[in-house]
Amino acid sequence: MSDAAADSAHTPPGMDWEARFREGHTPWERPGLHPAFLQWRDSGAFADVKRIIIPGCGRAPELAAFAQMGLDAAGTDLSETALNYQRNKLKENNLSAVLIPGDSLAYAPDAPFDAVYEQTFLCAISPKLRGDYERAVHRWLRPGGRLFALFMQKEEPGGPPYGCSIAAMHDLFPGDRWTWPEPPYPAFPHPSLSGKPELAVILTRR
Ligand SMILES: C[S@@+](CC[C@H](N)C(=O)[O-])C[C@H]1O[C@@H](n2cnc3c(N)ncnc32)[C@H](O)[C@@H]1O
């Protein structure tokens, strides 16, 4: 599928991600590294991760941060402007990561990943594609690999962002395919997006 076709199939009506980046209208971006990322990093949660992927990475600074930590990091995105931004940031900091253009959900890696970092991508895609997302992430990870997820909490219908309630996430990531940690899950209010909290959950692929 061409990038343009993937875009129309996977982008919610009215949402042109490439235009958002070109126009600088990106309210989902935090001012720096996500506080959950910092907690995970500083507590050693990524210690046994060698290969990690960020689907729908946009301009997220976590991609370069993983590269800085010495991980083999990969980011996928539909937006060439966002990927160019990442390319320049990596170059400026003498870092490297693999940048994969096109539809994240169609991506088929050559080798499995140890971890997936999920940050405002699942809530950005149409809820109709959530099954595709779960199957993609499960396929990418080795058994025992982990999904570091920030699940956007939002009561109102519609999106993006589309709410990712814990009940809906349990349906999407069922216990026969994923191991769930015990709640409660730490909440990180978003500085924009009306302060909606994201819940930090680490799921392990069975
Ligand atoms: C809300 S933004 C989040 C960006 C980034 N994860 C962050 O935290 O800043 C959603 C991102 O997903 C990308 N995207 C949407 N649908 C996609 C798809 N099917 N495949 C790849 N990227 C996609 C958009 O281009 C955009 O960069």
Side-chain angles (χ1 to χ4, degrees):
M1 190 185 287
S2 70
D3 288 359
D7 197 4
S8 65
H10 292 94
T11 296
M15 177 56 74
D16 179 344
W17 296 106
E18 173 61 18
R20 289 298 198 97
F21 285 110
R22 268 192 267 111
E23 291 156 12
H25 184 209
T26 55
W28 57 83
E29 292 180 346
R30 290 176 179 258
L33 292 165
H34 198 295
F37 166 90
L38 293 173
Q39 282 188 15
W40 282 327
R41 185 193 66 186
D42 297 346
S43 67
F46 301 122
D48 61 354
V49 174
K50 179 76 184 125
R51 272 169 59 75
I52 191 160
I53 181 166
I54 309 183
C57 61
R59 303 192 300 190
E62 288 76 12
L63 182 70
F66 283 127
Q68 178 81 57
M69 289 159 64
L71 277 60
D72 293 339
T76 71
D77 209 283
L78 289 175
S79 164
E80 199 47 45
T81 299
L83 290 181
N84 279 336
Y85 174 92
Q86 293 285 15
R87 201 167 282 122
N88 291 336
K89 275 283 158 202
L90 289 161
K91 195 169 172 201
E92 262 169 52
N93 292 290
N94 210 18
L95 295 168
S96 66
V98 177
L99 298 173
I100 303 149
D103 177 15
S104 298
L105 303 180
Y107 175 58
D110 294 338
F113 285 90
D114 303 308
V116 175
Y117 183 76
E118 162 53 49
Q119 179 176 291
T120 57
F121 176 55
L122 180 56
C123 70
I125 59 173
S126 164
K128 288 189 210 139
L129 297 169
R130 287 184 174 182
D132 291 349
Y133 177 98
E134 189 274 342
R135 283 185 288 278
V137 171
H138 196 273
R139 203 171 59 234
W140 298 341
L141 285 171
R142 63 168 170 78
R146 284 169 299 156
L147 169 62
F148 292 84
L150 295 158
F151 291 136
M152 178 67 68
Q153 303 303 294
K154 181 191 172 202
E155 302 288 325
E156 310 92 293
Y162 298 96
C164 298
S165 71
I166 291 299
M169 295 300 98
H170 269 287
D171 288 345
L172 185 62
F173 299 100
D176 59 338
R177 285 164 66 81
W178 301 90
T179 306
W180 278 75
E182 286 300 316
Y185 307 122
F188 296 89
H190 201 285
S192 38
L193 303 181
S194 318
K196 292 178 183 49
E198 291 168 287
L199 297 182
V201 185
I202 305 173
L203 299 183
T204 305
R205 180 216 196 273
R206 288 188 187 276

Coordinates of all heavy atoms in Angstrom, one line a residue, residues 36-52 62 65-66 69 71 114-117 146-149 202:
A36 N 6.6 9.6 32.7 CA 6.6 8.1 32.9 C 7.9 7.5 32.3 O 8.4 6.6 32.9 CB 5.4 7.5 32.2
F37 N 8.3 8.0 31.1 CA 9.5 7.5 30.5 C 10.7 7.7 31.5 O 11.5 6.8 31.7 CB 9.8 8.3 29.2 CG 11.2 8.1 28.7 CD1 11.5 7.1 27.8 CD2 12.2 9.0 29.1 CE1 12.8 6.9 27.4 CE2 13.5 8.8 28.7 CZ 13.8 7.8 27.8
L38 N 10.7 8.9 32.1 CA 11.8 9.2 33.0 C 11.8 8.3 34.2 O 12.8 7.8 34.7 CB 11.7 10.7 33.5 CG 12.0 11.7 32.4 CD1 11.7 13.1 33.0 CD2 13.4 11.6 31.9
Q39 N 10.6 8.0 34.8 CA 10.5 7.1 35.9 C 10.9 5.7 35.5 O 11.7 5.0 36.2 CB 9.0 7.1 36.4 CG 8.7 8.3 37.3 CD 7.4 8.1 38.0 OE1 6.8 7.1 38.1 NE2 6.9 9.2 38.5
W40 N 10.5 5.3 34.3 CA 10.9 3.9 33.9 C 12.4 3.9 33.7 O 13.0 2.9 34.1 CB 10.1 3.6 32.6 CG 8.7 3.1 32.7 CD1 8.2 2.4 33.8 CD2 7.6 3.3 31.8 NE1 6.8 2.2 33.6 CE2 6.5 2.7 32.4 CE3 7.5 3.9 30.6 CZ2 5.2 2.7 31.7 CZ3 6.2 3.9 29.9 CH2 5.1 3.3 30.5
R41 N 12.9 4.9 33.0 CA 14.3 4.9 32.7 C 15.1 4.9 34.0 O 16.1 4.1 34.2 CB 14.7 6.1 31.9 CG 16.2 6.1 31.5 CD 16.6 7.5 30.9 NE 16.6 8.5 32.0 CZ 16.8 9.8 31.8 NH1 17.0 10.3 30.6 NH2 16.7 10.7 32.8
D42 N 14.7 5.8 34.9 CA 15.5 5.9 36.2 C 15.4 4.8 37.1 O 16.2 4.5 38.0 CB 15.2 7.3 36.8 CG 15.5 8.5 35.9 OD1 16.3 8.2 34.9 OD2 15.1 9.6 36.2
S43 N 14.3 4.0 37.0 CA 14.1 2.8 37.8 C 14.7 1.6 37.2 O 14.6 0.5 37.8 CB 12.6 2.6 38.1 OG 12.0 2.2 36.9
G44 N 15.3 1.7 36.0 CA 15.9 0.6 35.3 C 15.0 -0.3 34.6 O 15.3 -1.5 34.2
A45 N 13.8 0.2 34.3 CA 12.8 -0.7 33.7 C 13.2 -1.1 32.2 O 12.7 -2.1 31.7 CB 11.4 0.0 33.6
F46 N 14.1 -0.3 31.6 CA 14.5 -0.6 30.3 C 15.9 -1.4 30.3 O 16.4 -1.6 29.2 CB 14.7 0.7 29.4 CG 13.5 1.6 29.3 CD1 13.5 2.9 29.8 CD2 12.3 1.0 28.8 CE1 12.3 3.7 29.6 CE2 11.2 1.8 28.6 CZ 11.2 3.2 29.1
A47 N 16.3 -1.8 31.5 CA 17.7 -2.3 31.6 C 17.9 -3.5 30.6 O 19.0 -3.6 30.1 CB 18.0 -2.7 33.0
D48 N 16.9 -4.4 30.5 CA 17.2 -5.6 29.6 C 16.6 -5.4 28.2 O 16.5 -6.4 27.5 CB 16.6 -6.8 30.3 CG 15.1 -6.8 30.5 OD1 14.5 -5.7 30.2 OD2 14.5 -7.8 30.9
V49 N 16.4 -4.1 27.8 CA 15.9 -3.9 26.5 C 17.0 -3.5 25.6 O 17.8 -2.7 25.9 CB 14.9 -2.7 26.5 CG1 14.4 -2.3 25.1 CG2 13.6 -3.1 27.3
K50 N 17.1 -4.2 24.4 CA 18.1 -3.9 23.4 C 17.5 -3.3 22.2 O 18.0 -2.3 21.7 CB 18.8 -5.2 23.1 CG 19.9 -5.1 22.0 CD 21.2 -4.5 22.6 CE 22.3 -4.3 21.5 NZ 22.7 -2.9 21.5
R51 N 16.4 -3.9 21.7 CA 15.7 -3.3 20.6 C 14.3 -2.8 20.9 O 13.5 -3.6 21.5 CB 15.5 -4.5 19.5 CG 16.7 -4.6 18.6 CD 16.6 -5.9 17.8 NE 15.4 -6.0 16.9 CZ 15.2 -5.4 15.8 NH1 16.0 -4.5 15.3 NH2 14.1 -5.6 15.1
I52 N 14.1 -1.6 20.6 CA 12.8 -1.0 21.0 C 12.2 -0.2 19.8 O 13.0 0.4 19.0 CB 12.9 0.0 22.2 CG1 11.6 0.4 22.7 CG2 13.8 1.2 21.9 CD1 11.6 0.9 24.2
E62 N 11.5 10.9 23.0 CA 11.9 9.6 23.6 C 12.7 8.8 22.6 O 13.5 7.9 23.0 CB 10.7 8.9 24.1 CG 10.0 9.5 25.3 CD 9.2 10.7 25.0 OE1 9.0 11.0 23.8 OE2 8.8 11.4 26.0
A65 N 16.2 9.7 23.0 CA 16.6 9.4 24.4 C 16.9 7.9 24.4 O 17.9 7.5 25.1 CB 15.5 9.7 25.4
F66 N 16.1 7.1 23.8 CA 16.5 5.6 23.7 C 17.8 5.4 23.0 O 18.6 4.6 23.5 CB 15.4 4.8 23.0 CG 14.1 4.6 23.9 CD1 12.9 4.9 23.4 CD2 14.2 4.0 25.2 CE1 11.7 4.7 24.2 CE2 13.1 3.8 25.9 CZ 11.8 4.2 25.4
M69 N 20.6 6.2 25.2 CA 20.8 5.1 26.2 C 21.5 3.9 25.6 O 21.8 3.0 26.4 CB 19.4 4.7 26.8 CG 18.8 5.7 27.7 SD 17.0 5.4 27.8 CE 16.9 3.8 28.6
L71 N 20.3 2.0 23.1 CA 19.4 1.0 22.6 C 19.4 1.1 21.1 O 19.6 2.1 20.5 CB 18.0 1.2 23.1 CG 17.7 0.6 24.5 CD1 18.6 1.2 25.6 CD2 16.2 0.9 24.9
D114 N 12.4 -6.2 21.7 CA 12.3 -6.5 23.2 C 11.2 -5.6 23.8 O 10.7 -6.0 24.8 CB 13.6 -6.2 23.9 CG 14.8 -7.0 23.3 OD1 14.6 -8.2 23.2 OD2 15.8 -6.3 22.9
A115 N 10.9 -4.5 23.1 CA 10.0 -3.6 23.7 C 9.3 -2.7 22.7 O 9.9 -2.4 21.6 CB 10.7 -2.7 24.8
V116 N 8.1 -2.3 23.0 CA 7.4 -1.2 22.2 C 7.1 -0.1 23.2 O 6.7 -0.4 24.3 CB 6.1 -1.8 21.7 CG1 5.3 -0.7 21.0 CG2 6.4 -3.0 20.7
Y117 N 7.3 1.1 22.8 CA 7.0 2.3 23.6 C 5.8 3.0 22.9 O 5.9 3.5 21.8 CB 8.2 3.2 23.7 CG 7.9 4.4 24.5 CD1 7.9 4.3 25.9 CD2 7.7 5.7 24.0 CE1 7.7 5.4 26.8 CE2 7.5 6.8 24.8 CZ 7.5 6.7 26.2 OH 7.3 7.8 27.0
R146 N 8.0 -6.5 26.2 CA 7.1 -5.7 26.9 C 6.6 -4.5 26.1 O 7.3 -3.9 25.3 CB 7.7 -5.2 28.2 CG 7.8 -6.3 29.2 CD 8.7 -5.9 30.4 NE 10.0 -5.7 30.0 CZ 10.9 -4.9 30.7 NH1 10.6 -4.4 31.8 NH2 12.1 -4.8 30.2
L147 N 5.4 -4.2 26.3 CA 4.7 -3.0 25.8 C 4.6 -1.9 26.9 O 3.9 -2.1 27.9 CB 3.3 -3.3 25.3 CG 2.4 -2.1 24.9 CD1 3.0 -1.3 23.7 CD2 1.0 -2.6 24.5
F148 N 5.4 -0.9 26.8 CA 5.4 0.2 27.7 C 4.3 1.2 27.2 O 4.6 1.9 26.3 CB 6.8 0.9 27.8 CG 7.8 0.1 28.5 CD1 8.5 -0.8 27.7 CD2 8.1 0.2 29.8 CE1 9.5 -1.6 28.3 CE2 9.1 -0.6 30.4 CZ 9.8 -1.5 29.6
A149 N 3.2 1.2 27.9 CA 2.0 1.9 27.3 C 1.6 3.1 28.2 O 1.6 3.0 29.5 CB 0.9 0.9 27.2
I202 N 2.8 -1.5 32.0 CA 3.7 -2.3 31.3 C 3.1 -3.7 31.1 O 2.9 -4.4 32.1 CB 5.1 -2.4 32.0 CG1 5.7 -1.1 32.3 CG2 6.0 -3.3 31.1 CD1 7.0 -1.1 33.2

